[in-house]
Amino acid sequence: MSAKKSIQGLPVYQPGKSLEEVKRELGLEKVIKLASNENPFGCSPKVWESLTQIKDQFHLYPEDDAPLLRQKLAESLEVDERRLIFGNGSDEVIQMIARAYLEPGTESVMATPTFPRYETATRIEGAVPVEVPLREGKHDLDAMLEAVNENTRLVWVCNPNNPSGTFVDHESLSNFIDQLPEHVLVVLDEAYVEYVTDDTFPDSLSLLDYNPRIIVLRTFSKIYGLASFRAGYGIAHPEVVQQLSRVREPFNLNRLAQAATLAAISDETFVLYCRNQNRMGMKQIMERLDEWGIGYYPSQANFLLINTEYNGDEVFSYLLKKGIIVRSGKALGFPTYLRVTIGNKEENEVFLSGLSNFLQEKKSRVSQ
Ligand SMILES: Cc1ncc(COP(=O)(O)O)c(C=O)c1O
């Protein structure tokens, strides 16, 4: 029996290699993972406390609409509670958006390379992904606008973009949204927004205030350090939230995730600390790359896309054998690049010395 046509040939998602897998396969004791843009500083200590408080309730379904988290998050974002929709990771919100708004005969427009789940979610619904190449590593908003037609239902803007780390500024985004026809919803995926320091970055919530056709996506997997819990959310007009709720799985934000995220958003000090450390780590790596004359895209996120000018898979395998897990740019649409998550100071040093050894070995082989 064959599965539905739209998923034939769809690739299975390939995550970055896990620490456990690399330790097991290579028999290494010390491994660092800078592959999935996770938080090297863990999560707020308040999270553990919140989990111990619910330890007698694991056998009970959680509250379906996460009322405590909803209230607290709405307060901190200064938005109406009815504007929030939660997901089992923002991945699930992406899926809900595609499920609610796409069907065969419709299209969704996105950049390429960008976060691959927009394309997958589009294909699953039997709709057509229309991919518009980045220009100098950035979303080409003019070309994206040209790609919009009467069949377009969604436009995805990953901001900052994964894997390039580049961003679209407020003015450009606002002009772009103003020119979109009324039948199109725009999804602003801001998974890394808490890391952004550039003050021309869009104030997406103010855009959303006057435009009901915007969905903003955020996650607890990055700066909040809660990737294990799978918790993300969307902010949108209540009517859009209503549509998404129709396709949401019951109890999709589990009890542990509700407790952990509620505790995490009350610890602003932790978030600020991580943001500062990330900037310092970024500087640490960029300064060394500048010294070596290695190119990279300017990043507002917690990762850097680095052009080693060698086959990305080769550099990846070299580093992996040394216990350093990064992401080869090859699978991400940048064949000679590496995407590296900014780690803590020591991890960044380990990565830099691994990369430096690789480059020196290459150079000495050429000069032999
Ligand atoms: C741009 C972007 N959006 C969404 C996600 C998914 O995050 P979550 O863990 O909330 O599903 C990621 C994860 O890497 C991402 O990079």
Side-chain angles (χ1 to χ4, degrees):
M1 206 168 78
S2 55
K4 67 179 186 178
K5 217 162 129 201
S6 63
I7 67 162
Q8 301 299 323
L10 206 62
V12 175
Y13 180 70
Q14 296 296 331
K17 277 191 175 285
S18 71
L19 276 178
E20 296 90 332
E21 189 185 351
V22 174
K23 281 185 182 169
R24 221 173 25 239
E25 284 177 2
L26 298 179
L28 295 172
E29 261 181 32
K30 203 159 180 337
V31 176
I32 61 168
K33 185 180 178 211
L34 302 174
S36 302
N37 307 336
E38 294 146 329
N39 188 340
F41 304 101
C43 65
S44 160
K46 294 190 176 185
V47 167
W48 176 242
E49 250 169 69
S50 75
L51 295 179
T52 58
Q53 279 166 20
I54 58 163
K55 68 182 187 314
D56 298 330
Q57 295 159 34
F58 291 169
H59 58 296
L60 300 171
Y61 284 108
E63 284 197 271
D64 183 50
D65 57 352
L68 300 181
L69 174 65
R70 179 179 299 277
Q71 189 193 2
K72 181 93 187 183
L73 188 60
E75 250 172 55
S76 76
L77 296 170
E78 296 181 22
V79 300
D80 190 305
E81 287 183 28
R82 291 168 309 161
R83 283 182 175 259
L84 296 175
I85 178 111
F86 294 101
N88 189 251
S90 49
D91 275 342
E92 196 195 28
V93 189
I94 292 169
Q95 225 177 72
M96 287 191 254
I97 295 170
R99 185 168 280 187
Y101 289 97
L102 297 177
E103 59 193 321
T106 64
E107 299 178 3
S108 83
V109 174
M110 65 202 71
T112 183
T114 191
F115 189 57
R117 302 312 287 171
Y118 316 141
E119 186 204 344
T120 309
T122 301
R123 286 197 192 282
I124 292 172
E125 302 310 322
V128 176
V130 178
E131 300 184 302
V132 178
L134 297 175
R135 203 169 56 189
E136 291 167 16
K138 279 186 167 182
H139 279 68
D140 185 347
L141 295 181
D142 293 336
M144 288 177 80
L145 202 56
E146 271 175 37
V148 169
N149 61 34
E150 68 280 7
N151 298 324
T152 311
R153 294 292 173 273
L154 298 172
V155 173
W156 310 86
V157 180
C158 187
N159 207 24
N161 188 43
N162 179 4
S164 56
T166 52
F167 76 101
V168 171
D169 65 52
H170 188 91
E171 205 184 328
S172 317
L173 185 68
S174 166
N175 287 339
F176 172 71
I177 293 174
D178 284 347
Q179 292 176 76
L180 285 172
E182 295 231 327
H183 63 274
V184 174
L185 267 176
V186 52
V187 184
L188 306 177
D189 184 345
E190 298 188 337
Y192 301 94
V193 69
E194 297 87 357
Y195 288 109
V196 170
T197 52
D198 191 304
D199 54 18
T200 63
F201 190 83
D203 177 359
S204 55
L205 299 187
S206 80
L207 295 175
L208 205 152
D209 265 349
Y210 76 89
N211 190 328
R213 291 176 290 112
I214 296 175
I215 307 177
V216 178
L217 296 184
R218 304 237 173 121
T219 180
F220 288 100
S221 301
K222 306 301 174 186
I223 210 161
Y224 290 99
L226 297 176
S228 283
F229 289 88
R230 309 303 298 119
Y233 60 98
I235 315 161
H237 190 277
E239 262 172 43
V240 174
V241 168
Q242 179 69 21
Q243 301 298 349
L244 299 181
S245 303
R246 295 199 158 111
V247 299
R248 181 176 69 80
E249 293 294 329
F251 313 113
N252 64 332
L253 196 66
N254 71 60
R255 184 180 287 278
L256 297 168
Q258 290 187 31
T261 49
L262 184 60
I265 53 174
S266 69
D267 194 349
E268 279 173 30
T269 314
F270 176 78
V271 172
L272 269 179
Y273 172 78
C274 296
R275 182 181 146 99
N276 289 338
Q277 292 292 318
N278 183 65
R279 270 293 122 195
M280 289 191 316
M282 183 84 82
K283 194 161 165 265
Q284 179 190 359
I285 297 182
M286 288 192 309
E287 281 178 356
R288 206 72 61 80
L289 296 175
D290 290 343
E291 237 173 69
W292 300 340
I294 303 263
Y296 53 86
Y297 284 105
S299 171
Q300 283 291 310
N302 67 340
F303 55 86
L304 263 183
L305 190 62
I306 300 171
N307 190 0
T308 66
E309 293 181 20
Y310 292 97
N311 180 331
D313 284 355
E314 190 187 343
V315 198
F316 163 81
S317 303
Y318 178 93
L319 293 175
L320 190 67
K321 286 193 198 111
K322 314 264 179 223
I324 306 161
I325 320 174
V326 295
R327 225 33 218 271
S328 162
K330 208 155 183 197
L332 305 174
F334 289 90
T336 62
Y337 285 68
L338 285 184
R339 194 194 65 194
V340 62
T341 304
I342 310 303
N344 63 33
K345 201 170 171 201
E346 295 74 41
E347 289 171 332
N348 296 337
E349 258 334 299
V350 173
F351 162 70
L352 286 166
S353 85
L355 182 59
S356 155
N357 289 342
F358 173 85
L359 296 171
Q360 270 164 14
E361 281 182 29
K362 276 286 179 192
K363 254 191 225 147
S364 65
R365 232 171 277 163
V366 170
S367 57
Q368 268 165 17

